[in-house]
Amino acid sequence: MNNYKILGKVEYKRTKEFDVKVNGIQIVENENKVEIYNDPFRVIPLFIIKDKSDKLIIFSDYEDFYNLKDVDKTIDKAGFWEIILFGNGVFSRTLYKNVRQMPSASKIIIDKNTNKYKIERYWDFNIEVDDSIDSMEKAAQGMYDRIDSIFAKLDKNTKYIMGMSGGMDSRISLAFLSKYIPKENLKLFTYGFDEKILEYKYACEVAKTLGYDEPEFHKLTARSYRRAMDYLPKMSGGQVGINHCHILDYLQGKNLNNFKQISNYISDAIFGLNTKKEKNNDLNNLNVILDKYKNNFSNKIYKYILSDIELLIENFQSKFNYTNVNEYIYWTEKTPKVFNYFSKLHSEYINQELIYADYDLLVYSLSIPPKYREQKKVLDYLLDNYFKNIPSSGFKNISSRFLCGSEFSGLLDFYSFKILNRINATLRLFTKGYIQLFNKYQTEEQDRLLYRDFHKDLKNATSKFVDVGIMSKEQKKQWDKLPLKNGGISERFVIISLSKSAF
């Protein structure tokens, strides 16, 4: 008789030996123990809890958890603050005291004799630099060959859909798709607050150049985020804020049964978004954020969160090919827990093709010397030398590097964006978001919406948390006050979302 039960439609494979190159859940079992493995990308998130009869219950969809009658659903204060400050529960922690989640490249080990379990990593993500990659040409060639082989395996007769941004990652994905998928079998979409944004302009230009129809534009409004309050908090167990509803808002109401979505999540990590020129292993962004908000919680909660961070980075070794601790965290925590979780939520509406979730590609990327992948330079080289009709130097973009400096966005655009942001920050303060200058560089207007449409929801949420003792009145006062700049906007949307998950 099993000591555990897997709820819902979780796909898994029983095997005699775990294979790290196979994405998904694998179960290895013998007389004394059960080992449940996930892959390094955490393509399928798994959560585990004990019910009141001491039976282990494993689930992937949080809606299954909310339907359980005989489990303790007490809020974990440490998990609550981790989700607000970091965007996810750190390592195995969640919003609920008795629910644990699998980090990437981990396994749940269940002792059949005691019915106890533990979660631990089976791989540390540490990869040595490959010194034979001694030029950008070699680095890019290896990257091109591996990515091309992945796209070449796509079924050209299948209908696909892909979000097309004005950035570089979806651009190179579309370039590879153009080699294998005919125009009639690929549908593109772009989301944003207005059709006049540069995001959509650049997406249309690239699509046209590569022979595809211009993307369908999906307009994000206050109603998009308000709708998300009814489904996303419970759907994600509070781990995804309503401010991340954009693709889900598009997918809902669409008849896409015959389509498969090409998901570009992971690409930022693959191409080196957080890779720096020189190594700096002293800075840990999670600790910086934790210390900044230390007064938000008791010393006991502080120690819980700190221990989670220490557990998260205990396998990090500076001798391997990471330029900083934050890059390691981005690979092992942020990408699997946040971005890949988005893809899992999207799969409720459409089948997914997480195109960059390839173990060999991951290992190769991490073996490239940092000077070639730093700030995604290898991606620029790929576009300039393998797809010369859409070069990085010839087509403007609004990429994830836009705010990293004028070298990535152009002097005029960089400072125009910053000036517009400052003016609008002042206008928000005096008009509560009702008057704003149009900012073509933005994709969303979440700061404006928080001021104009969701401030009351925020105050209601913090009041609930005060009532149950999770927040103090002083903390409520702090979080009810809206920030002048963009920093802190996302955290406040998360608080709104958490109130919908917890109550």
Side-chain angles (χ1 to χ4, degrees):
M1 181 177 177
N2 284 338
N3 290 36
Y4 65 95
K5 178 181 180 182
I6 299 178
L7 296 181
K9 303 175 183 177
V10 179
E11 293 185 8
Y12 58 87
K13 176 184 178 182
R14 292 190 178 273
T15 181
K16 291 183 178 180
E17 187 173 342
F18 170 68
D19 185 349
V20 70
K21 293 188 177 184
V22 175
N23 288 342
I25 302 299
Q26 299 175 56
I27 299 178
V28 179
E29 186 169 359
N30 60 35
E31 289 183 7
N32 298 313
K33 66 180 179 180
V34 180
E35 294 183 327
I36 303 174
Y37 291 81
N38 67 6
D39 55 79
F41 306 100
R42 210 181 86 139
V43 169
I44 299 176
L46 280 192
F47 307 89
I48 185 168
I49 188 174
K50 276 190 176 183
D51 66 14
K52 292 178 181 178
S53 66
D54 210 38
K55 189 179 182 76
L56 290 171
I57 298 174
I58 298 166
F59 62 94
S60 183
D61 297 323
Y62 251 98
E63 291 174 347
D64 291 329
F65 164 74
Y66 288 115
N67 289 329
L68 292 173
K69 303 296 184 183
D70 55 349
V71 298
D72 185 348
K73 298 175 184 175
T74 302
I75 299 297
D76 185 326
K77 289 185 180 180
F80 172 82
W81 286 111
E82 285 180 358
I83 293 170
I84 291 173
L85 301 185
F86 309 130
N88 55 271
V90 177
F91 200 69
S92 65
R93 198 178 295 275
T94 71
L95 179 60
Y96 300 94
K97 272 188 177 181
N98 296 293
V99 178
R100 290 286 160 171
Q101 63 179 320
M102 293 181 74
S104 58
S106 69
K107 59 181 177 179
I108 301 173
I109 305 170
I110 301 172
D111 187 316
K112 287 185 174 181
N113 298 313
T114 65
N115 204 33
K116 292 182 178 180
Y117 77 90
K118 61 181 178 179
I119 298 175
E120 63 182 36
R121 280 226 160 101
Y122 60 77
W123 185 48
D124 56 18
F125 284 84
N126 288 321
I127 302 294
E128 293 185 357
V129 64
D130 185 348
D131 292 324
S132 69
I133 305 174
D134 56 5
S135 68
M136 179 62 85
E137 290 84 355
K138 285 185 180 179
Q141 185 64 60
M143 187 73 81
Y144 178 90
D145 291 342
R146 285 163 177 80
I147 296 175
D148 188 63
S149 68
I150 294 169
F151 279 84
K153 295 173 186 175
L154 293 174
D155 182 0
K156 65 180 181 181
N157 295 314
T158 296
K159 289 185 178 295
Y160 295 97
I161 185 169
M162 186 180 80
M164 185 69 195
S165 75
M168 307 294 279
D169 295 45
S170 61
R171 179 186 302 187
I172 199 162
S173 292
L174 189 62
F176 278 107
L177 286 169
S178 69
K179 294 182 61 179
Y180 302 106
I181 306 300
K183 171 184 174 180
E184 61 272 16
N185 284 347
L186 181 63
K187 177 182 176 64
L188 302 171
F189 69 93
T190 304
Y191 60 80
F193 76 93
D194 193 286
E195 283 192 51
K196 297 188 292 293
I197 59 174
L198 291 180
E199 187 92 54
Y200 188 49
K201 179 177 184 290
Y202 297 155
C204 289
E205 288 176 356
V206 172
K208 181 180 179 181
T209 301
L210 290 172
Y212 290 99
D213 293 335
E214 68 178 35
E216 176 187 0
F217 186 79
H218 178 67
K219 187 171 183 177
L220 295 171
T221 66
R223 189 164 175 263
S224 301
Y225 302 94
R226 191 158 296 284
R227 274 197 302 259
M229 291 170 67
D230 294 331
Y231 66 87
L232 190 49
K234 293 284 188 181
M235 192 179 184
S236 67
Q239 298 205 116
V240 177
I242 60 170
N243 52 317
H244 294 297
C245 71
H246 24 66
I247 294 180
L248 284 167
D249 191 59
Y250 171 77
L251 292 175
Q252 290 187 349
K254 297 284 183 182
N255 183 10
L256 298 170
N257 293 333
N258 297 322
F259 284 82
K260 181 178 283 190
Q261 183 183 0
I262 300 288
S263 175
N264 290 305
Y265 295 131
I266 306 173
S267 60
D268 268 336
I270 290 289
F271 291 124
L273 175 64
N274 281 283
T275 309
K276 306 301 180 184
K277 288 182 180 179
E278 298 178 357
K279 284 201 172 191
N280 178 2
N281 298 310
D282 296 328
L283 177 64
N284 180 348
N285 191 47
L286 294 185
N287 278 328
V288 171
I289 295 173
L290 178 60
D291 289 339
K292 179 181 177 182
Y293 291 99
K294 186 175 181 179
N295 293 332
N296 275 274
F297 28 78
S298 67
N299 190 51
K300 182 179 180 181
I301 299 300
Y302 176 85
K303 288 181 177 179
Y304 279 146
I305 299 174
L306 187 61
S307 67
D308 288 343
I309 292 173
E310 290 171 348
L311 193 61
L312 174 65
I313 62 175
E314 68 175 354
N315 291 320
F316 171 77
Q317 297 181 53
S318 59
K319 68 179 181 179
F320 290 103
N321 202 19
Y322 295 94
T323 55
N324 55 77
V325 177
N326 294 335
E327 183 181 8
Y328 181 82
I329 291 171
Y330 194 78
W331 264 108
T332 61
E333 181 83 346
K334 197 72 175 179
T335 297
K337 286 269 193 72
V338 178
F339 303 121
N340 293 353
Y341 197 26
F342 294 166
S343 183
K344 165 62 174 66
L345 298 179
H346 299 167
S347 70
E348 296 295 315
Y349 302 95
I350 186 172
N351 291 327
Q352 299 290 297
E353 185 71 61
L354 202 55
I355 198 74
Y356 292 97
D358 181 89
Y359 177 79
D360 290 333
L361 179 61
L362 179 158
V363 171
Y364 177 74
S365 172
L366 288 175
S367 73
I368 298 174
K371 62 182 177 181
Y372 302 131
R373 72 176 198 272
E374 180 253 329
Q375 282 295 318
K376 301 168 76 169
K377 287 182 178 178
V378 67
L379 173 55
D380 294 332
Y381 188 92
L382 283 170
L383 287 168
D384 290 343
N385 292 274
Y386 292 87
F387 302 102
K388 295 184 178 181
N389 53 340
I390 52 165
S392 63
S393 56
F395 273 75
K396 287 189 174 183
N397 68 88
I398 296 288
S399 75
S400 50
R401 299 174 293 173
F402 189 81
L403 293 179
C404 293
S406 58
E407 63 180 298
F408 297 109
S409 51
L411 197 63
L412 178 62
D413 285 332
F414 180 71
Y415 285 104
S416 295
F417 175 77
K418 290 179 75 71
I419 290 169
L420 275 171
N421 269 355
R422 289 178 181 177
I423 293 172
N424 280 337
T426 304
L427 287 172
R428 278 195 302 276
L429 184 63
F430 291 105
T431 72
K432 306 300 182 185
Y434 281 92
I435 298 175
Q436 295 271 256
L437 298 182
F438 178 74
N439 190 340
K440 65 181 180 180
Y441 302 100
Q442 285 187 319
T443 302
E444 301 175 71
E445 286 190 315
Q446 293 183 0
D447 38 18
R448 179 184 193 179
L449 295 177
L450 184 60
Y451 269 79
R452 190 187 67 190
D453 302 286
F454 290 94
H455 197 184
K456 184 178 178 180
D457 297 284
L458 174 64
K459 290 179 178 179
N460 289 338
T462 54
S463 293
K464 290 179 181 178
F465 290 124
V466 170
D467 290 342
V468 297
I470 292 177
M471 275 188 178
S472 68
K473 290 182 178 179
E474 281 300 311
Q475 290 168 346
K476 171 180 169 56
K477 184 178 179 181
Q478 175 190 349
W479 288 100
D480 283 350
K481 184 179 179 181
L482 300 184
L484 184 61
K485 296 183 179 180
N486 195 31
I489 297 295
S490 179
E491 290 89 334
R492 285 163 173 79
F493 274 113
V494 169
I495 290 172
I496 295 171
S497 301
L498 286 170
S499 72
K500 296 294 181 180
S501 306
F503 304 107

